[in-house]
Amino acid sequence: VAADYLLYPTEVGENIWQSFPTGSILFGLGVATWLLVRTLRGRLASAWERPDARRRRLAGLAVYLSILAALSFVVRPEFARVSENRAINEVASNGSYSFWRAVVGADAPYEGLYRTLPPAEIESRLEHLFSVSEGRRVDLAGGSTLRHVENPGPPQRHNVVIVLEESLGSEFSALLSSRETSLTPELDRLAGQGTLLTQAYSTGNRTIRAIEATTSSLPPLPGASIVRRSQSQGLFTLPSLLAGVGYQTAFVYGGRALFDGMGGYLAANGVERIVDQGDMPENAFTTAWGVADEVIFDRALTEMDRMAATGRPFYTLVLTVSNHRPFAFPTDVVQPLPGLKRRDNAVRYADYALGRFLRQAEQHAFYDNTLFVLMGDHGARVYGAAEIPLGSYEVPILYLGPGIEHGRRIDTLSSSLDVPPTVLARLGLSYDSKFFGQDAFTVDPALGRALVTHNNSVALLRGGEIAVLGLQGRVETFAYRRVSRTFERNAALQRTERELQGDAIAYFNGADRAYRGGLYLAAPGEPSGAPQAVSEAPPAKPPVVSGGVPIARVTRPLTEL
């Protein structure tokens, strides 16, 4: 996280300043340093004046650097695996070494670091996995996941609105946890008007992992998210597919779209219009991460009205910010409750803003023809002893709109990367797909699974068992106890672990090969993924910010935002 966030000092610096008594801490450190230097000034002066040849000092430096270089080849992450407890292992690890590995490994290839399989076996396994989940024979070729997905029609040109709620884990809802008093009464109310996935997992614990999953439906590759990789241009994504059949596409965010490369990634992958903090009212309530959720939703409604007026359907991705440290929000409408933590009060505000957004949307002409997906981008915090803290990955995913059954609960294990194919199935669109996700509404519950990443590990969760792939080819299988959120080694796993491990490798190794090999592009000369049941789309327009400034789809960052 430190390696990633140091690239964005504006958000990170302001967030630290707003979240902690930073001024007092810096003042105290300054006073302590001045007192220490003043006390030791005689010894410090004599140390600098001691005669020492420059050659000797350089030799000492060379020895020091040589030792560091040698250790970098000798020290392995496994040295810190002193326990089955994740937190203890993280304490045992060397901070400087972990930071360096994060920097150099941000875009490291899967192969050479993780367990692999022969390409033919990867293809065979993926063919089987896609065939059983989609209910028809799938034939793959050349490392691509391209195949045809048939959804029962007739096709519906409904609008699509996906709301990513910052840090909204399932733990806050009484419907999805053992909590007696829900912090999300609005979400719980809306669940009675739609279909709720009760065992859904985010693919990671960063917002860009949710953007990656809900647009590209690609498993979370180890290292940096594809949102931050320069190769992620012209990928096969939900917004590019919908744009190809005439949909207008937009992204509405309360912060700066350049943060974490979000705006650049979306503009390069089918999103025509980027609306961010610079387009919000100057007097809006603002934290380090952007304007309050109410303001974001108000602007989103304005954008949707504008697109609806054209008569063409639209896709809108909305990202909120209020449920994030420093957990500050307007208190004139939602007053903090005494005794609640700041985060819990922020959840109450975020839930209020979400409910307000849907109530207002009901008054707009586009509402009855719009499919809404309301979901947490990831959980609120990382906790627990398990190597991959799955409790922190549980999120609500709620579907609302035309054709969606009211009050339905689907208990099938699912993932945020299942959103694109699930949306397209609700639209009744048949299309040529490269997605790794599956339709969470219709897939056999026995085939439910989640793909996740945490630090340097990636994993496949299926049927109460989880296969974890780590660095240096490490592969381990555990039984996952959802109630206690613990991993257990079990002799009974021997019957299934080989198959589970093989499928995990096929998913991640196959995804990495397809991405790096250019096989996950919607490129000229390849089937574009356009739904076959929809008429030919008008020419794509260049993406623009709300002020009308064109954004280069591939070649330059969104500095104008």
Side-chain angles (χ1 to χ4, degrees):
V1 172
D4 289 343
Y5 276 179
L6 285 177
L7 297 175
Y8 302 96
T10 300
E11 285 82 358
V12 176
E14 290 184 9
N15 182 48
I16 292 173
W17 188 269
Q18 294 172 2
S19 302
F20 306 100
T22 313
S24 300
I25 292 172
L26 292 176
F27 177 76
L29 288 173
V31 171
T33 302
W34 179 79
L35 290 173
L36 186 62
V37 171
R38 183 175 178 83
T39 302
L40 300 177
R41 65 182 184 277
R43 295 188 180 185
L44 291 173
S46 63
W48 282 109
E49 293 170 358
R50 186 177 61 202
D52 230 345
R54 178 179 297 181
R55 182 177 300 176
R56 182 176 174 180
R57 294 187 180 187
L58 291 176
L61 178 62
V63 170
Y64 175 74
L65 294 177
S66 298
I67 293 173
L68 284 181
L71 287 176
S72 67
F73 291 99
V74 175
V75 177
R76 299 168 62 89
E78 285 74 13
F79 292 173
R81 292 184 57 79
V82 297
S83 167
E84 292 292 327
N85 186 298
R86 175 189 57 84
I88 292 176
N89 289 335
E90 290 187 3
V91 171
S93 182
N94 179 283
S96 301
Y97 177 71
S98 298
F99 180 82
W100 175 245
R101 287 192 67 88
V103 172
V104 300
D107 195 20
Y110 177 96
E111 295 180 358
L113 295 175
Y114 296 84
R115 184 76 62 86
T116 61
L117 289 172
E121 184 174 349
I122 292 175
E123 190 170 290
S124 175
R125 284 183 175 273
L126 290 179
E127 282 182 347
H128 173 72
L129 290 167
F130 292 145
S131 295
V132 296
S133 69
E134 295 169 12
R136 62 193 301 272
R137 179 176 174 78
V138 169
D139 294 309
L140 304 179
S144 173
T145 56
L146 182 64
R147 76 273 183 200
H148 185 69
V149 173
E150 192 72 29
N151 286 315
Q156 306 290 334
R157 294 175 68 82
H158 298 314
N159 307 310
V160 177
V161 176
I162 298 176
V163 178
L164 297 180
E165 282 283 324
E166 172 64 45
S167 300
L168 190 67
S170 297
E171 63 184 281
F172 299 119
S173 168
L175 291 179
L176 298 170
S177 69
S178 58
R179 178 184 292 273
E180 293 183 2
T181 303
S182 182
L183 295 175
T184 59
E186 291 293 335
L187 179 67
D188 297 351
R189 175 185 64 83
L190 291 168
Q193 303 174 14
T195 295
L196 178 67
L197 305 186
T198 63
Q199 291 196 61
Y201 289 81
S202 60
T203 57
N205 54 11
R206 295 282 302 280
T207 297
I208 51 176
R209 288 296 187 181
I211 291 177
E212 165 190 278
T214 56
T215 56
S216 75
S217 189
L218 191 72
L221 302 180
S225 164
I226 65 169
V227 172
R228 296 188 54 185
R229 301 191 190 192
S230 59
Q231 188 176 343
S232 300
Q233 301 163 354
L235 298 179
F236 186 89
T237 65
L238 177 61
S240 65
L241 190 154
L242 292 176
V245 295
Y247 275 67
Q248 304 163 88
T249 56
F251 173 55
V252 181
Y253 174 45
R256 299 191 305 159
L258 60 81
F259 180 74
D260 257 352
M262 293 185 294
Y265 166 83
L266 291 169
N269 292 287
V271 176
E272 299 170 336
R273 188 173 179 84
I274 307 291
V275 179
D276 77 341
Q277 186 173 354
D279 306 302
M280 303 295 176
E282 292 184 0
N283 61 348
F285 183 96
T286 306
T287 69
W289 299 105
V291 301
D293 287 359
E294 291 171 271
V295 182
I296 299 171
F297 285 130
D298 287 347
R299 183 53 190 260
L301 289 171
T302 300
E303 291 295 321
M304 294 175 203
D305 282 337
R306 181 190 61 78
M307 291 186 286
T310 68
R312 293 166 53 203
F314 60 81
Y315 159 94
T316 305
L317 179 65
V318 183
L319 175 60
T320 69
V321 303
S322 292
N323 187 27
H324 193 296
R325 186 179 294 278
F327 309 121
F329 56 89
T331 57
D332 53 342
V333 289
V334 177
Q335 296 182 353
L337 292 180
L340 279 187
K341 297 178 180 179
R342 285 194 302 169
R343 175 185 287 280
D344 290 349
N345 277 309
V347 172
R348 291 177 57 245
Y349 170 75
D351 179 68
Y352 157 79
L354 180 64
R356 174 180 175 271
F357 166 61
L358 266 296
R359 285 192 178 93
Q360 290 184 339
E362 289 178 6
Q363 308 305 315
H364 291 247
F366 63 77
Y367 179 80
D368 290 335
N369 190 42
T370 301
L371 173 65
F372 291 88
V373 184
L374 314 178
M375 59 183 291
D377 63 348
H378 53 76
R381 57 195 176 96
V382 175
Y383 62 95
E387 181 171 353
I388 295 183
L390 288 176
S392 308
Y393 289 67
E394 295 181 17
V395 294
I397 302 182
L398 174 63
Y399 290 80
L400 301 166
I404 302 298
E405 185 176 345
H406 286 207
R408 182 184 178 190
R409 294 166 62 95
I410 296 178
D411 298 327
T412 304
L413 183 63
S414 59
S415 170
S416 52
L417 63 81
D418 295 328
V419 168
T422 304
V423 165
L424 291 168
R426 306 287 74 73
L427 298 180
L429 300 181
S430 298
Y431 60 105
D432 294 332
S433 175
K434 295 185 179 182
F435 293 145
F436 278 76
Q438 53 195 22
D439 180 5
F441 280 40
T442 61
V443 70
D444 185 338
L447 302 177
R449 54 62 194 129
L451 297 157
V452 300
T453 181
H454 182 73
N455 289 342
N456 292 317
S457 298
V458 291
L460 167 64
L461 173 66
R462 186 174 66 197
E465 299 173 2
I466 185 167
V468 181
L469 312 180
L471 294 170
Q472 275 72 49
R474 179 174 58 87
V475 181
E476 296 180 285
T477 307
F478 305 90
Y480 178 57
R481 308 303 181 196
R482 190 176 180 219
V483 175
S484 61
R485 291 178 173 147
T486 57
F487 288 4
E488 297 179 3
R489 298 185 186 276
N490 191 329
L493 291 177
Q494 295 177 359
R495 297 194 302 270
T496 57
E497 66 176 349
R498 183 182 180 89
E499 196 68 20
L500 186 67
Q501 291 177 1
D503 289 346
I505 296 169
Y507 274 126
F508 290 104
N509 196 179
D512 188 77
R513 289 175 61 87
Y515 173 78
R516 291 183 182 278
L519 299 175
Y520 215 73
L521 298 173
E526 283 192 359
S528 67
Q532 296 183 352
V534 183
S535 60
E536 185 177 350
K541 298 179 180 179
V544 297
V545 297
S546 63
V549 181
I551 300 174
R553 184 176 294 275
V554 172
T555 57
R556 60 191 174 97
L558 301 178
T559 52
E560 56 264 56
L561 294 181

